[in-house]
Amino acid sequence: NFLRSRVDAWIDRVSLARSAYETLRANANGENENAPKKRLQAIGAELKHAQEDLTAFFDECEACLIVGTYLASEHASCADYLVFALAHGLARSKICGKDLLEKRPGLCRWLSTISASCGTVKSAFGVDEAYLSSTLGSLEGGKDWCVEAPKPPAKPKKEQQKGKKKDKKDKKGGQSNFASLAALISVSAAQADDEPAADKKPAADKKPAGDKKPAGKEKPAAAAAGGAKAEEEEDPVKKAKKDRKKAEKEAKKAKMLAKKAKREAEEAAKKAKGASGGKSKKEKKAEEAAAKKRKQLEEEETTLRFLDSQPKGSKKKIDEVKIQSYSPRIVEHSWYAWWEKEGFFTANNKHTKGKTFTIVIPPPNVTGTLHLGHALTDSIEDTIVRWKRMSGYEALWVPGTDHAGIATQTVVEKKLMREKGLTRHDLGREKFLEEVHAFARDKKSTILNQIRRLGSSVDWTRERFTMDDDLQLAVKEAFCRMFDKGLIYRDARLVNWCCHLNTALSDIEVDHIDLPGRTMLSVPGHDDQVEFGCITSFAYPLEDGSGEIVVATTRIETMLGDTAVAVHPKDPRYTHLHGKFLKHPVNGRRIPIIADAILVDMEFGTGAVKITPAHDPNDFATGQRHNLEFINVFDDNGLLNGNGTGQFEGMKRFVARTKIVEFLQEKGLFRGKADNEMRLGLCSRSKDVIEPMLKPQWWVNCKEMGADAVNVVRNGELKIVPKDYEKTWFFWMENIRDWCISRQLWWGHRIPAFYVQVEGDEEGGIPGRNSEKKDRWVVGRTEEEAMANAKAKFPGKEIKLIQDEDVLDTWFSSGLFPFSSFKWPRETDDLKAFFPTQLLETGHDILFFWVARMVMMSRCLMGVLPFKEVFLHAMVRDAHGRKMSKSLGNVIDPLDVIRGITLEGLHKTLMGGNLDPKEVEKAKEGQTQDYPEGIEECGTDALRFALVAYTSQGRDVNLDVKRVVGYRHWCNKLFNALRYAMMNLGEAYVAPDEIRPQDLSLSCKWILSRLNQAIASTVKAMDEYQFTQATTAIYAFWQYDLCDVFIELVKPVMASGSDAEKKATRDTLWACLEVGLRLLHPFMPFLTEELWQRLPKNADYAKEFPSITIAPYPKCAEEFVDQSLVDRMAYSGVVVNKIRSLRATYGLVSNKQQPDVFLLCEPESKAKLDGLESYVATLSVSGSVRCVTDAKEIPEGCGVAPVDAAVVAYVVLTGLVDPEGEIKRLEMKLKECEAGRQKLEKRMSLPEYAKTPDKFKAEDNEKIANFKSEEANLAQAVDGFRAMLAKPKEQKQQQAEKGGKPEPKPSKEEAAPEPKAAESEEAPRPRAESSGFLKVGEKMVMKGDVKKKSTGFFSFTSQARTLVLTDAPRLLYMEGTETRGEFGRVLSCTMKSDSALVIKSDQKERIIETPEAKAWTEAIAKHYKL
């Protein structure tokens, strides 16, 4: 069918277009000049139509491929093969350009899929060979469709120049769709327009055929004649200029061709080398890296096999697990099972700690798996629980899962339909519930495994499920107690009905969208979109025929249930109609005209309002006031029932909407339609349009409970963090309405209410229908209890009980979770010990759904608040700030971040769900855009730390997985820091019993001060739930204080310190690591346990605390905090950064280059730095650091930079940089500084400056002083470099004054070999000039401009540099007059080509490009005796 309807038609169109194409091509090439103009135009039109048909067909294919993988079925078929052959022929022959695929991603994907399986498809489906060969032959045979587009007629010179840019742009962007066809049509049309008239020269005057230019190159005759004339009259000067340009162009072209040939030759040589077994350096490096990675993975797998072989729950054998780098898989292995087996997370209800901390998990729904939002919740809660447990609390975290009534039943129903083609009604209630229980068990197992992988320290002995027997008992008890108190009642009221799910919803389960006017929306169960945002006016005729009343509605279908029309009692337009009746045009119902001042606004519309009491909340209240009839016109599925619906009975409600309008138009009662701004309610689960329906349901009276919930927050009994959400709390609770708790589902807690049927009573009504009698309902925890209550209510009568088919709202059972988890209503030890809880942590999106219900029900049933504090975390969004959505492909399983996953693996996670094919493709595109390489393995610790670090109160979390990867690298840094510490501590190290501040060096005192400050900051932040501040404090200590500073300061002590200094330093390092790991543990449980177990500890300490999980959380020891020292070290850090900046400025990138540093200080600043000079030298990679107060003590030739107004850093640069270059740079900087000062002084001299506030005047004066200070420092530095330049001249002058006697020559042993010019013609002569980059007595041997091809140790870009060879021997890279780097020991120097050489040193290999490659190679080889 697909081939007949589409492909055959396409082939026919292409075949018809072939002859037209050939005719136009021939005409464009001058081969068909006699063709009439009309014929050419007709052929062009045919070809244009063919082009449009081809475009339409590609669009049609794209539409098919967006929905499915293949064109005509779920699998590849002959249709796919044939269409591929046709499309491939067009694309190959360049009729269809590159943008064909760019605009059609589905077609692009399909082409790549089919191209790999053409042979398989052909053989599998037995494509007819004759049909196939004719099809392919018509498109790909011979030269058909394979010609290039001819050039259009010549344009004037100006137009040609204008067109050059456009041509370049076109070439850059690639040929557009059907470029050949379009060009041919335009050329032919142009030629047809220029067809010679009768009075013009005949065709015989043209050149003979043999003189014609090649096809496609000849211009029209008129253009050729014009060109000849222009050539004759052309100016000789212009002609010479044109010839010169032409020659230059030809030379440029020849050069380009030569380059291309050379490049091709080099590539051929590379290929030949590769074929013979040789490999490039890059390939070797890649292979080495891959081999190293393979080896590492093999070692990891061996270690994992060893760990897997150990008994489950046994403690990891640290001594036998040898790993060289951080591996999340190995580090996180075994610990959780050991923690669980040892009972570290199990709380004791008979504890003697005196304080408890209890928290219940927000039970995740068993509809699927956890996502990153759940991971955020668990990470925050586990961080709090572990911190409290380590801080001495008996901590209990209760885990659990929620049955999620509507959501789970919906998922299982879809699954049944998809897999078995059955509905729940086909199975029956009991069988269906068995299916749901099996589904829930499977999902629950997955969820609990995810919670374990996240490291959550929950008490698994107290794990709960909201459908457990204990919790079912609690639900029945709560319902019966609240019924007895009169808080739960039965009533027929308007409910939010979802026709798609066939159930009622509470107000907060309804989403609302605002429509500005007419809007078309898709509605579940309807094929076509439905119109909303319109108001329809129609007329009701008066019963006596004397007139009509016009009313308007946005839901015209509800007019079938109208039972009145209301007008304002004071509206003079309708006073005479009070008490009269209208006639319904569909069912003839008498409709009274009533007066109602509450509902009707005289100024709005016609002042008349139709009343539908059974389908509108406002009309419902009006119907109660006027005792109107309540007529429901819809059934549970949204179809029109038989209650006065006439000919529309059985129609879908929104189909009836359009049919009723047509009916009113036929009757002459339609009065128009207009845009109307409105708010539309949608089911939060199914997105179906909510239909207000009159249904008997169970309700909870929330008025008093809501007022109580407001009071407990206002008086401070209940604290909500962040405080901003108190406004939301007050708004919801002060405007709370009664809560509908009935749900027309099978999965959930069945309502313990029973309808009493009295024998012989025919008017008893039907439960669940509007005919039921409210007084017939009784409740009971068991059927026996309900029967006893019924007999007491109806004594002496034969009765029968029918239990309510409905179940309770999921949030009813969830609202009991804080105490039902402890087996309430029984008085258990757990209930006494752990209720009420201390904290409720959850997302702000369920503040009213869950938090408010728990507060109301706990206060009602237990008399106390369920918790003292509520912490609301933000929503997790993706890196672009979008809400997590499966259809966007940004819902990520936390295990995929922990373990890592490929892009293909991410795509597979979209399969088997409830997404339709279009959403799957959209989600795949989103995943490809965000995770083109998949997700790297990050580990649990990195994910947890990233999530908690992101948690800033009141802000959403825009989670970028790249940041998680960054924390994974940070974990590796911590791992390496401990490895370094263990090497320095030594195997025989014994942990100290105590550390005394007086025994420590300044660096040790400082790091312990910073450690205790980090502890104080972290504890304070945790108390206030400021998790971002807590993670920042911990990260700063480990990263910036311990790793970046203290460990660097440890190295010189370990290398050359005394035994006492080494002992004190080791003890301090051990203390920082041991305490720092305990500080970090709540955030990163696995890594800290692994590293803490590897640290040496005293036997008693290790016995008392076998795991870091139960070790004490650090407390700030004030005696170790020295704020003065911390300030001094912070100031020294500023100095270090300035010196490092100076080093970078002068290109001192190697740690081997360690210049001396002088700090010119004011007395106060010198006092700050006293005793810290060695630390500054170590951290700034300086030879030495001296603080001086007199500038005369500073040598000449220094780089200078002010640290602040009181300290200036001088780096001695003699022998390291070029003085001339530095003088130029400093003088430029000096001019900038002077210009800045003069500009400020000019502004200060203006008359209006006197009005400036004193505060800003003081700031400006300070700026002037800083400018002057910096100018003085720069001037001094310039003088120093000038003095450096002047020294060699003074020495020469002194030598001349002494008689010109030369300096004594060094001995042969001291002298460096120096090549002589006489030894070789090509050997360079020594240069006489000297420069600041040369050492004292050092001479330049060779100098020349070169280009460094490969980036290397010096990280240069590929631009011109200077290579300098000296007699030291030294080989330098220069940029201008500045040294940018120095080669190490030169090992070899060989020519790569006539214009390139390769220098191999002990550091790296360089490729140098220079025309003097041969001279350089020989000079370096001779100089270094290679």
Side-chain angles (χ1 to χ4, degrees), residues 306-368:
F306 166 74
L307 292 172
D308 289 336
S309 68
Q310 302 303 303
K312 187 175 181 180
S314 62
K315 187 175 181 180
K316 187 189 287 187
K317 297 179 180 178
I318 291 293
D319 296 338
E320 298 183 36
V321 179
K322 305 293 184 184
I323 47 177
Q324 300 302 314
S325 61
Y326 173 68
S327 169
R329 294 191 298 166
I330 295 175
V331 166
E332 295 170 12
H333 198 288
S334 305
W335 288 124
Y336 196 92
W338 179 60
W339 291 334
E340 193 176 339
K341 183 182 178 184
E342 292 296 321
F344 294 143
F345 307 151
T346 304
N348 181 5
N349 55 29
K350 304 291 185 184
H351 69 90
T352 57
K353 293 184 178 180
K355 50 185 181 180
T356 60
F357 179 80
T358 311
I359 184 173
V360 296
I361 197 170
N365 295 342
V366 290
T367 49

Side-chain angles (χ1 to χ4, degrees), residues 1054-1075:
M1054 293 294 107
S1056 57
S1058 66
D1059 291 342
E1061 289 174 335
K1062 289 180 180 179
K1063 174 69 168 64
T1065 303
R1066 287 193 183 104
D1067 289 347
T1068 303
L1069 179 59
W1070 177 88
C1072 288
L1073 293 171
E1074 199 277 334
V1075 176

